[in-house]
Structures are given as structure tokens and as C-alpha cells.
Amino acid sequence: MSVPVWNPAVEFMEREALERLQLTRLRQTVAWALKTPFYRRRLAEVGLTHPEDLGSLRDLRKLPYTTKDDLRAAFPDGLLAVDLERTVRLHTSSGTTGMPTVIYHTRPDLDHWTELVARCIVAAGATARDVFQNMTNYGMFTGGLGLHYGAERVGMLVIPVSSGNTGRQIHLMRNFQTTVVHATPSYLLHLHAALAGEGVTVDQLRLRKAFIGAEPHSEETRRKIEALFGIQAYNSYGLSEMNGPGVAFECVHQTGLHLWEDAYMLEIIDPGTLQPLPEGQTGEIVMTTLQRQATPLLRYRTRDLSHLVSGNCPCGRTHRRLARIKGRSDDMLIVNGVNVFPSQIEDVLMKTPEVGTNYLIQLEKRGSLDRLVVKTEIYAKLFTGDPRTLDDLRERIGEALRSAILIKPTVELHEPGSLPVSEGKAKRVVDLRPAF
Ligand code: ADP
Ligand code: ZN
């Protein structure tokens, strides 16, 4: 089988050549960073005043970390490394966890980003013959314009619809026979549930692939989307601090997300000790930009948790793969002293055939104890029969959760469409516990 590939020279580059390229670009990046007062100070603190002070890639470890708080403190332009007149666009993060961060781009920066997105699209098997409907927001959020330019570069026919208005999305898909979509996984599940209301069946669509990302989701959720639409869904990972989408993406083999190592230096660290972890261990993803001139970032702590997949991918790409993102280090819930990741709960729910397309995790305080409530939508037909069926289902989900997270939550079953839906990133956790 021939592997679809956008830039074979870079995507199949031998590791040795790739690492030489990384060192050249890392030195260049440090040179750019030294133009900002922020990094001049930080680098001076570790005795680095010149890019040539980096003798080898191992010296990456000498560089200081950069955190989201550093970016916030530098708001708006403390990390800008070029004159404003050379910048052509800025993006901010979605602000999921607080004040947004700003990233500036020069024209070459945007060009490099577009190239990375084009690689991802082609790696996932899409081509110039596809009709691409981009269902993510076109504002400051990077998923809109990021995928848009990549798809145009590949030569796809792009429908720049942006997010929301599900009825319109469905009719556009039908009228223009959309073959590939980009959306958050939670939104695609919602869209599927809305098809019937629009009088459209999956058979009337020509969808064959979806790019899903921007929020944590489980393998079970991916499989559910694939089964509901009869398509392949590919995991897309990115963050505005590293441009946005185009950082890491699954190829047609779906064996983990290839991270473009000519554009990003990747490390996985222990978020407690800040020491790099051996390959295969789960920790925080840390990345250094290698090509971005306007806002170079050194050892940026993403707070996202993952591990490196060992071995080679059958596609032959030499760029290493990240495992599915487990969540953010600050996503972890502590319920009566037990650590729980929302993704563990999602896994159990999406494995349960009766469970529909939406759920919500709620935390409450009862006296001195935490109470975990898992609210999930189930298919409408289950509400018409014997109430014992619902009791059994509640019990079955409760027990499955107990074996996964060691806590038996209160399970509530809801009718389809009754839990809140988001057009962008889903808000899955509501914590009603007092702050102290
Ligand atoms: P914010 O950090 O405010 O949400 P971004 O839009 O930059 O703003 O979001 C990037 C974050 O979204 C990542 O750091 C990660 O936590 C999450 N994310 C993006 N893609 C994925 C994915 N495929 N799987 C899991 N989480 C993802
Ligand atoms: Zn591959």
C-alpha cells in the first residue's frame, strides 16, 4: 500500500538528519528568543547569552521552562521577538483555564503552520478531491483558520462554515456532499443526534473522515463516532501556544499522533520533579518551537499528559508518536481523596451501548464528604419500557464506574438533548464544592 504523504523529504527524514536540523533550528530559536527582554533575563540566569552556547541537543535541558503564567505575565507583547510591522496575525487561546495567552505570527510563521496542517490532512488520507467542512470557530480560536489554510493548501474544496447552527451544518453536508469534517468530538456526537430532527439520514451524506480534537476524548468516543457515521475519525492535537492544530495528528494507521519534530522539540517530564521521563512513561508534554520567529517559546509546559509510543509506525514516518492525551494535569479530580480523570469516566460511559451522546460530571459536597454525580443521556426508547430496565442500567453503569475509578458515583439517566451542549470545547465537569 502506498502511504499518502505531503512532504516525504521531511516526514521520512532519517533520525540523524532530523536531529541535526533540530539543533540548527534550536540555536536559531534561541537567537530569536534573545531578542525578547523576558528570555534575555531567563537565559542569562542559566548562563546562556549566545545561541552557540548550545553544543548539542542534550543542552536543551539547560534551557528554562516557560509556563502559561509566564505568557500571561508577558501579556500582551512581552514575548514578541520581532518588530510589530513584521507580524501579520495574532491568536489567543480559548481561555479554558483563565486569562487567554497571545501568540503573534510573521508571514513565514503562518506559512510554516500551514505546511504542518497540510501534512496532517494528507497523513490522515484526505486529498484534493475531498470536500472539507470546517465546523470549528473561525475567530481567535486556532482551529478555524489553522485547518482552513492547511486544507486549501492541500487543494480541498473548503466550506468555511465555522461552529454552531447544527441544522445548517447538516444541510450543507448534504447539499455539498461533504466528505471530511473537522469538529470537536462532543459536537460531532451532538450533530449525529440532531440528524433525525432535520430529516436527514447518514446514508444521504457522503462523509468518509472526521478530524477530531481540541478536547480530551477516549478511544471509545472515537469508535462511537466512527460507528455512528460509518467513517474514520483521526485524533488531532494542538494548542494555540504551539500555533494551534498541526502539532500532532494520527496517520491512516491510527497508532498514536505523529508529532512534527522538525517544528517542535518534544519532551515528556515529571510535572512534580520537572525531570525528563524515560520513553513510554506518562508525564507532562513540554515543547519548544523550532520555526516560529514572532513568538518563540522555549520548553513550554503544556500541562497536557501523555506518553511516547515506542516502535515504528507502519507508515514509515520517522517523527515520533504521542499517545492519546489523557487530560490536563489540572483536570484531575480529587474525590474523597481518590484521584479521578474525567477521561476514565468517559471511557466507561461510551462503552455502554445504551448511553447516548452527551454526559456531565458533577461534584457536590454532602457534609464533609464529596459526592460524585454522573449524568448521562440514554437513547429515548429506553424510557418507554419497564422502570426496572432503568434501575438495572443505572446499577450496571455504577458498578462499571466503581471498577474503573474505585468510587461508585450516583448515576442519573437523562433523555436525549436534555444536558447542555457546547459548540466548541465541551464543559464536562461542574464542580459545586465550596473552594475551602
Ligand atoms: P485553552 O488552553 O484555553 O483551552 P487552546 O485552544 O489552545 O486553549 O487549547 C489547547 C488545549 O486543548 C490543549 O492544551 C489540550 O489540553 C486540549 N486539546 C487539544 N487537542 C486535543 C486532543 N486531541 N486531545 C485532548 N486534548 C486536546
Ligand atoms: Zn504513521
Side-chain angles (χ1 to χ4, degrees), residues 24 61 64 99 109 196 293 372 388 420:
T24 309
R61 294 189 186 180
M99 189 173 132
D109 290 344
Q293 187 167 8
L372 175 65
R388 272 177 309 180

Side-chain angles (χ1 to χ4, degrees), residues 309-329:
V309 178
S310 59
N312 299 321
C313 182
C315 74
R317 285 182 181 79
T318 48
H319 299 242
R320 290 177 300 170
R321 286 163 296 160
L322 281 176
R324 175 179 298 287
I325 313 300
K326 193 170 165 199
R328 301 190 196 221
S329 52

Side-chain angles (χ1 to χ4, degrees), residues 212-232:
I212 53 176
E215 63 189 16
H217 57 284
S218 63
E219 181 64 26
E220 295 299 331
T221 297
R222 180 244 288 277
R223 295 297 169 209
K224 183 159 189 155
I225 290 171
E226 293 190 328
L228 288 173
F229 287 99
I231 60 170
Q232 267 90 52

Side-chain angles (χ1 to χ4, degrees), residues 96-168:
T96 309
T97 57
M99 189 173 132
T101 54
V102 190
I103 301 295
Y104 295 84
H105 300 269
T106 62
R107 195 169 297 285
D109 290 344
L110 289 182
D111 192 52
H112 293 142
W113 178 17
T114 299
E115 147 79 19
L116 298 179
V117 176
R119 281 186 209 169
C120 295
I121 291 172
V122 172
T127 73
R129 286 186 297 280
D130 280 297
V131 178
F132 176 63
Q133 190 165 326
N134 193 4
M135 300 183 175
T136 51
N137 186 279
Y138 268 66
M140 303 294 255
F141 179 63
T142 52
L145 291 174
L147 252 294
H148 181 97
Y149 286 111
E152 279 191 353
R153 186 162 294 184
V154 169
M156 302 167 100
L157 169 60
V158 181
I159 308 177
V161 50
S162 191
S163 59
N165 200 339
T166 309
R168 181 160 171 248

Side-chain angles (χ1 to χ4, degrees), residues 6 9 16 28 42 58 70 88 91 108 115 161 179 205 214 231 233 253 289 322 333-334 350 359 384 400 430:
W6 176 255
E16 220 176 285
Q28 174 66 77
R42 280 290 170 90
R58 286 191 63 80
D70 290 330
V88 293
H91 277 284
E115 147 79 19
V161 50
T179 56
L205 305 176
I231 60 170
H253 297 284
T289 59
L322 281 176
L333 307 171
I334 303 182
M350 292 297 150
Y359 71 92
T384 51
V430 178

Side-chain angles (χ1 to χ4, degrees), residues 68 72 92-101 140-143 185 212-217 234-245 248 257 287 300 302-305 323-331 425:
K68 211 170 178 91
R72 286 179 178 144
T92 64
S93 66
S94 321
T96 309
T97 57
M99 189 173 132
T101 54
M140 303 294 255
F141 179 63
T142 52
I212 53 176
E215 63 189 16
H217 57 284
Y234 299 92
N235 195 353
S236 157
Y237 170 70
L239 59 164
S240 55
E241 292 83 357
M242 294 289 132
N243 295 342
L257 298 89
M287 280 184 279
Y300 179 67
T302 64
R303 304 197 282 192
D304 294 327
L305 301 174
R324 175 179 298 287
I325 313 300
K326 193 170 165 199
R328 301 190 196 221
S329 52
D330 39 12
D331 266 353
K425 289 173 194 268

